[in-house]
Amino acid sequence: MDVLAWLIPWEFSPTLVLAFALSIVLFVRGRRVHHVTLARQCLFWSGVVLLYLSLHTRLDYYAERMFFIHRAQHLVLHHLGPLLVMASYPGSVMRAGLPLAWRRRLRDALLTPAGKTLVAGLTQRFFVPFLFVFLVLVWLLPTVQFYSMLDWRLYRLMNWSVVISGLMYWNLILDRRPRPPAAMSPGGRVLSPIMTMAPQMVAGAVIAFTETDLYPLFELCGRAIALSAQTDQTIGGLTMWIPAALVEVIGLLVALGTLMRLSGKGRLRREDRLARQSPGQAQGGM
């Protein structure tokens, strides 16, 4: 088997290549300014590699023709890849990778009313978890799934949307600071994965145990692997049900560790006082 042939994109996307190249360049440049531990570097590169392999290799061919591979792809795009990237806390590193003039422009832009509104939206503690779950479930609706797999524009929108919502969500959950300045409280960061995990597990169970073919598109396109529609659908539902839940449990445990650390340092009580003094001023940080 030619391993290199698997790395050739099924559908080449210059926008995606540019986005990955820019992220990598900024992270590498930022390492020269900020000390980044080996563990954080490993998390970042692992997440980037997994996201790239899931988005821009021949895996796409199989994801378009096997439901369980499609669900495994989204497990990486929505859960595992963004979790690994955000666990490396790349925000400050990548900002440091910008040229000085660009950093100043970015700082000034974020201080404008429009910039503050954008940051508030990207870190809103109720909207972001809702979007995280919504974008999993809406793309699973049989009619939506049918058209998104046939139209390359909808297909790319689907994949980009789950990656971006995953990065936004794990940015909130993995924040190590008290609130404020963090957008979500440490306790909320522990509870949120439980709340977002439940509907995804229910949806995965329904798909796994439904005996009718919910996604006939994969049969129409021709399955790339000799599996029955029922087996393909069952494995796909289980992939969404169990491994995705395990990834969220990992995020929950990290958030729980942050809660215990802040509590041990007495910073939770100070957080409550600050929240009463300056409500609505919290902002998330990467």
Side-chain angles (χ1 to χ4, degrees):
M1 181 184 296
D2 187 356
V3 177
L4 292 179
W6 283 83
L7 299 179
I8 298 175
W10 176 241
E11 292 181 350
F12 181 75
S13 171
T15 304
L16 190 146
V17 172
L18 180 62
F20 273 90
L22 181 61
S23 301
I24 289 171
V25 168
L26 290 178
F27 188 81
V28 171
R29 284 172 53 91
R31 284 189 316 171
R32 301 171 185 170
V33 179
H34 281 281
H35 172 69
V36 184
T37 64
L38 180 60
R40 287 174 61 192
Q41 293 184 50
C42 289
L43 288 168
F44 177 82
W45 293 116
S46 298
V48 167
V49 168
L50 283 174
L51 287 173
Y52 183 85
L53 292 177
S54 299
L55 282 169
H56 209 234
T57 63
R58 193 171 175 81
L59 177 68
D60 243 359
Y61 169 82
Y62 290 91
E64 292 175 1
R65 287 162 177 80
M66 297 298 299
F67 179 70
F68 85 90
I69 296 178
H70 173 62
R71 297 321 307 158
Q73 179 192 44
H74 273 223
L75 169 65
V76 173
L77 296 182
H78 191 243
H79 286 74
L80 184 57
L83 172 66
L84 291 172
V85 170
M86 298 315 297
S88 71
Y89 302 98
S92 59
V93 180
M94 295 174 72
R95 281 194 295 270
L98 290 168
L100 181 59
W102 290 17
R103 292 205 300 272
R104 289 173 176 168
R105 291 191 187 120
L106 176 62
R107 179 198 60 196
D108 294 341
L110 293 178
L111 292 175
T112 63
K116 292 179 180 179
T117 300
L118 176 63
V119 171
L122 294 176
T123 58
Q124 217 290 326
R125 64 184 186 275
F126 299 115
F127 170 70
V128 172
F130 167 79
L131 186 67
F132 182 74
V133 176
F134 175 78
L135 287 174
V136 171
L137 301 182
V138 72
W139 293 115
L140 278 173
L141 295 173
T143 302
V144 177
Q145 178 89 163
F146 183 87
Y147 288 106
S148 65
M149 299 301 285
L150 290 179
D151 188 325
W152 67 269
R153 290 162 297 189
L154 283 176
Y155 183 76
R156 289 187 179 177
L157 174 63
M158 173 178 62
N159 287 344
W160 276 98
S161 67
V162 296
V163 172
I164 293 171
S165 67
L167 292 171
M168 291 167 57
Y169 181 70
W170 293 118
N171 175 49
L172 284 185
I173 301 304
L174 301 181
D175 199 327
R176 295 174 294 185
R177 303 169 299 171
R179 175 175 180 263
M184 185 179 285
S185 68
R189 297 197 289 264
V190 174
L191 293 175
S192 184
I194 300 174
M195 303 296 290
T196 58
M197 187 192 315
Q200 297 177 74
M201 293 177 67
V202 171
V206 169
I207 292 171
F209 293 117
T210 297
E211 296 183 356
T212 58
D213 187 2
L214 296 174
Y215 306 103
L217 166 76
F218 295 95
E219 197 71 41
L220 293 173
C221 292
R223 297 184 189 275
I225 300 175
L227 287 178
S228 68
Q230 183 61 57
T231 302
D232 187 16
Q233 186 169 291
T234 299
I235 299 174
L238 291 174
T239 300
M240 183 179 174
W241 179 7
I242 301 173
L246 290 176
V247 174
E248 294 221 36
V249 168
I250 293 172
L252 184 155
L253 292 175
V254 174
L256 181 60
T258 298
L259 175 66
M260 296 175 66
R261 176 178 59 83
L262 292 174
S263 178
K265 293 181 177 180
R267 298 183 67 184
L268 294 182
R269 291 186 294 274
R270 180 167 48 181
E271 169 192 292
D272 293 335
R273 292 196 300 271
L274 290 173
R276 288 193 294 269
Q277 293 169 5
S278 55
Q281 295 181 1
Q283 293 183 0
M286 290 189 292

